[in-house]
Amino acid sequence: MKHLLLLLFALTATTLSAKPREIRFKILETTDVHGNYFPYDYLNQQPGEGSLIRAYSFVKAQRQLMKPQHVLLLDAGDILQGQPSAYYYNFMDTVSQHACASVLNYMQYDAATVGNHDIEAGHAVYDRWTKECRMPMLGANIIRTSTGQPYWRPYTIIKKDGVRFAVLGLLTTGIPNWLPENLWSGMRFDDMVEVARKYMPEMRRQADVVIGLFHSGVGRENATGTKNENASLQVAQQVPGFDLILCGHDHRKANRKIANVNGDSVLVLNTGANAHFVAVADLVVEKNGKKVSVKSATGHLEDIDQWEVNPEMLAHFQPQIDAVKKFTQEVIGHNATELTTRPAFFGPSAFVDFIHQLQLKITGAQISFVAPLSFDARIPVGTIRVSDMFNLYKFENMLYVMQLTGQEIKNFLEYSYAGWTQQMSSPSDHLLLFNDRTINSPESWQRLRTPSYNFDSAAGILYEVDVTKPRGQKITIKSLATGEPFDLKQTYRVAVNSYRGNGGGGLMTEGAGIPREQLVKRVVWSTDKDLRYYLMQEIRQQKDIAPKALNQWKFVPENWTTPAAQRDSITLFQ
């Protein structure tokens, strides 16, 4: 008995004398990489900025500084579209391991969340890719309709130096509004707040630290309602229990603390896009016996362009880099006219009208809708290569023909130009609708209130846009381009990309006034390949192209809009 008492005394004394241990962790996030795996600009055939190979130099340095068990590396989605390197392994070389999976495996990511542009690549691509990735793929609110269970893991538990991290993956719920159903067949996308609230109790039972890894932007302050596109702030505020939220999707950098409904502070980070930055969260965790608590969380965004390319990783992936170079350097035609998106903001342009003409030719439609999908792109006079197609057409959209009435076409255009132009009340006003809060942003595209990929113009009709008139009264359609009368009650065949045809940007639903569930019934024809493929085939067939603006519409009054366009061009692109 005496020996037992002495043993108990010794154990008690040891427990009482043990001091809490502080452990420092770095949580690193990439997001919206959009195929920028390699430090090469395939569009301009020159060394490129950003890239995961450059980011790896920073990641490797942090692992050496902190020891690997004190570093977590995570990705928040949209990594499978946007660069020729992604397109090549999505659709051209489908036998080799996908370069994206190889890169993520090489860098030893701990987990990743799926993004909407990953879904846009289609089942064949993302199902293969996720099987090739060695880290857990997450998506708690991406539900398999046949079972009611998540299509991918809802969350994962990562153990580092005795500390358990739960990482919950969530995806923006807008996919059905943007993408054809065949790309996400068998899935539904539940509200982020509701799903986060569902999994929080079980994650807190299993983990010491809970991290949100969301492909959804920060969003608006005090947002309400369900299924918001950018809902990370909403989750942070309304679902207590998160120690850190890493997000993406909207390409807007963020580093801020959010107070939740319990009054606790949550660190929210967003890196922007294209692997130019890595989000860094510095967590100090106190471990006192079995009890673990987060003592502090601070963050910053590391500028990856200041880091050198990692030479070992570059050498390892040189064969893949060269394979994509060979693909993008293929000559498909010759261009006699420089194509640039800049004039498209201020009137008809050769860049946009070239796509209009091809859409009309491919589909046989009467009218075409097109927006400048690349904010500031240029294809010079001379040889046209495959790489130029990624400047001409940024995303892998299909092409639809939809049936719209003349009134719906007018309403569609009213909505487009209302988000594009302001109502001018004097010649000194802006023509474009700028965002007053961000008009001086170093990121030119953020100066506009509406993303320019929603600036749809039309071809096949002759019309004017009176910028002195209010929303709903700007558009006057004079006739079809053939000279035939335009009838608001008649039904027309309209060529439009699948993003727009599925309701993306709200032009079909809020603008034309077509209920979302009715959109699919309006589609009378669709391509089976992406529009970029058909553009490449058309240029190969023509060999020599000399695009010109169709000049089928204009801004009026011209004595106001012409000088305003000159001023606004400087404001937008300076």
Side-chain angles (χ1 to χ4, degrees):
M1 185 67 180
K2 180 179 178 181
H3 292 295
L4 180 59
L5 290 172
L6 289 171
L7 179 60
L8 288 172
F9 177 78
L11 290 171
T12 302
T14 302
T15 302
L16 291 173
S17 62
K19 294 182 178 180
R21 182 166 71 104
E22 278 194 352
I23 312 173
R24 296 179 180 272
F25 291 96
K26 281 190 183 291
I27 319 298
L28 311 181
E29 179 220 20
T30 56
T31 188
D32 296 273
V33 171
H34 285 293
N36 196 18
Y37 320 134
F38 310 131
Y40 189 77
D41 180 352
Y42 290 102
L43 276 60
N44 297 300
Q45 307 293 333
Q46 63 187 24
E49 298 178 335
S51 84
L52 289 182
I53 288 187
R54 184 173 275 110
Y56 184 61
S57 295
F58 173 70
V59 173
K60 186 176 181 181
Q62 301 316 298
R63 285 173 174 159
Q64 291 172 342
L65 177 68
M66 302 288 294
K67 297 183 180 179
Q69 65 265 35
H70 293 155
V71 178
L72 275 73
L73 179 59
L74 309 169
D75 184 81
D78 270 13
I79 199 167
L80 284 180
Q81 276 194 343
Q83 288 259 7
S85 50
Y87 187 89
Y88 180 75
Y89 285 98
N90 286 349
F91 305 115
M92 308 306 293
D93 181 358
T94 59
V95 176
S96 304
Q97 185 178 71
H98 199 295
C100 182
S102 299
V103 167
L104 295 177
N105 292 340
Y106 185 98
M107 294 177 68
Q108 297 180 304
Y109 272 77
D110 292 288
T113 292
V114 176
N116 57 289
H117 281 291
D118 305 324
I119 299 290
E120 189 170 19
H123 270 287
V125 175
Y126 57 74
D127 287 341
R128 170 171 64 95
W129 168 65
T130 53
K131 288 177 182 177
E132 293 174 347
C133 290
R134 291 199 290 265
M135 77 287 184
M137 198 63 65
L138 309 177
N141 65 329
I142 308 171
I143 308 301
R144 192 186 295 269
T145 53
S146 61
T147 64
Q149 299 300 311
Y151 193 89
W152 287 285
R153 291 193 203 183
Y155 64 88
T156 188
I157 304 295
I158 301 168
K159 295 180 181 179
K160 297 273 188 177
D161 196 10
V163 177
R164 296 164 301 170
F165 295 84
V167 182
L168 176 74
L170 293 173
L171 170 64
T172 181
T173 56
I175 280 78
N177 302 338
W178 308 324
L179 305 179
E181 188 174 353
N182 65 296
L183 299 177
W184 47 274
S185 59
M187 297 175 173
R188 74 169 192 264
F189 306 90
D190 288 354
D191 180 68
M192 289 176 55
V193 173
E194 292 175 0
V195 173
R197 191 174 283 131
K198 170 187 174 181
Y199 284 105
M200 184 57 70
E202 64 182 81
M203 290 192 297
R204 292 270 32 147
R205 286 195 298 270
Q206 298 178 66
D208 307 304
V209 181
V210 176
I211 300 171
L213 187 62
F214 303 161
H215 190 79
S216 181
V218 172
R220 295 180 290 108
E221 299 286 344
N222 303 312
T224 58
T226 60
K227 295 199 172 183
N228 290 317
E229 177 181 351
N230 294 306
S232 293
L233 184 151
Q234 197 176 4
V235 175
Q237 289 175 329
Q238 298 181 23
V239 186
F242 287 101
D243 297 293
L244 169 67
I245 288 178
L246 304 168
C247 64
H249 176 62
D250 61 357
H251 296 193
R252 296 178 184 271
K253 295 190 286 290
N255 177 8
R256 57 187 298 189
K257 292 286 186 76
I258 302 296
N260 65 25
V261 291
N262 287 353
D264 298 322
S265 179
V266 183
L267 176 63
V268 178
L269 298 174
N270 183 339
T271 71
N274 298 310
H276 291 296
F277 288 84
V278 167
V280 182
D282 290 289
L283 265 59
V284 178
V285 173
E286 184 178 85
K287 200 168 189 296
N288 189 357
K290 291 185 178 181
K291 184 180 179 182
V292 178
S293 58
V294 177
K295 304 302 292 183
S296 68
T298 58
H300 77 274
L301 304 181
E302 183 70 23
D303 186 350
I304 293 305
D305 290 327
Q306 302 304 310
W307 287 77
E308 296 295 327
V309 170
N310 181 267
E312 294 84 5
M313 188 175 178
L314 181 66
H316 182 87
F317 284 99
Q318 197 62 54
Q320 289 92 329
I321 294 169
D322 291 342
V324 181
K325 277 185 183 179
K326 182 178 179 181
F327 166 65
T328 57
Q329 289 176 356
E330 178 191 349
V331 175
I332 60 174
H334 186 272
N335 178 28
T337 307
E338 181 184 65
L339 294 172
T340 170
T341 52
R342 292 193 177 192
F345 293 87
F346 308 104
S349 70
F351 190 104
V352 168
D353 285 354
F354 180 63
I355 300 174
H356 272 309
Q357 291 176 80
L358 287 182
Q359 286 192 170
L360 291 171
K361 180 177 180 179
I362 292 167
T363 63
Q366 297 157 285
I367 296 166
S368 167
F369 291 145
V370 169
L373 298 185
S374 297
F375 173 75
D376 190 10
R378 173 180 171 270
I379 300 175
V381 172
T383 299
I384 303 175
R385 303 180 186 275
V386 168
S387 58
D388 293 314
M389 294 297 96
F390 292 83
N391 260 330
L392 182 64
Y393 207 86
K394 192 172 181 63
F395 300 113
E396 278 87 71
N397 292 318
M398 306 301 174
L399 182 59
Y400 288 172
V401 175
M402 300 181 71
Q403 289 186 325
L404 273 67
T405 67
Q407 186 64 60
E408 288 167 342
I409 290 167
K410 180 181 185 299
N411 292 346
F412 179 104
L413 291 172
E414 291 282 5
Y415 188 90
S416 175
Y417 285 96
W420 180 343
T421 63
Q422 75 160 335
Q423 183 180 357
M424 296 181 71
S425 57
S426 75
S428 60
D429 286 343
H430 287 296
L431 168 65
L432 300 182
L433 186 61
F434 287 104
N435 187 327
D436 292 337
R437 293 185 296 105
T438 59
I439 193 169
N440 295 315
S441 170
E443 303 269 9
S444 298
W445 62 272
Q446 291 190 14
R447 298 170 189 170
L448 298 167
R449 189 177 299 180
T450 304
S452 58
Y453 55 75
N454 287 330
F455 291 2
D456 277 54
S457 62
I461 54 176
L462 305 179
Y463 65 101
E464 291 181 348
V465 184
D466 189 339
V467 295
T468 67
K469 298 291 179 63
R471 178 175 181 164
Q473 300 177 31
K474 292 177 181 287
I475 307 298
T476 300
I477 302 176
K478 297 186 173 183
S479 70
L480 294 174
T482 58
E484 300 172 72
F486 180 83
D487 188 343
L488 293 176
K489 295 181 180 179
Q490 185 175 329
T491 298
Y492 297 95
R493 289 165 54 88
V494 181
V496 62
N497 70 41
S498 56
Y499 170 78
R500 191 69 75 231
N502 285 291
L507 281 79
M508 284 288 181
T509 52
E510 297 175 48
I514 304 171
R516 189 173 300 280
E517 62 274 13
Q518 295 293 320
L519 289 175
V520 66
K521 298 177 183 179
R522 299 295 190 95
V523 179
V524 295
W525 183 84
S526 174
T527 58
D528 58 357
K529 293 183 173 64
D530 68 282
L531 186 51
R532 190 187 297 123
Y533 168 83
Y534 292 98
L535 291 173
M536 287 192 286
Q537 295 302 102
E538 182 67 26
I539 292 171
R540 283 190 176 104
Q541 183 177 339
Q542 288 192 26
K543 295 183 181 178
D544 295 301
I545 63 172
K548 295 179 181 179
L550 294 172
N551 294 318
Q552 293 182 351
W553 67 275
K554 63 182 178 180
F555 287 124
V556 295
E558 291 180 88
N559 61 329
W560 285 25
T561 61
T562 299
Q566 294 171 348
R567 296 192 305 269
D568 284 2
S569 181
I570 296 171
T571 302
L572 186 59
F573 295 111
Q574 64 184 354

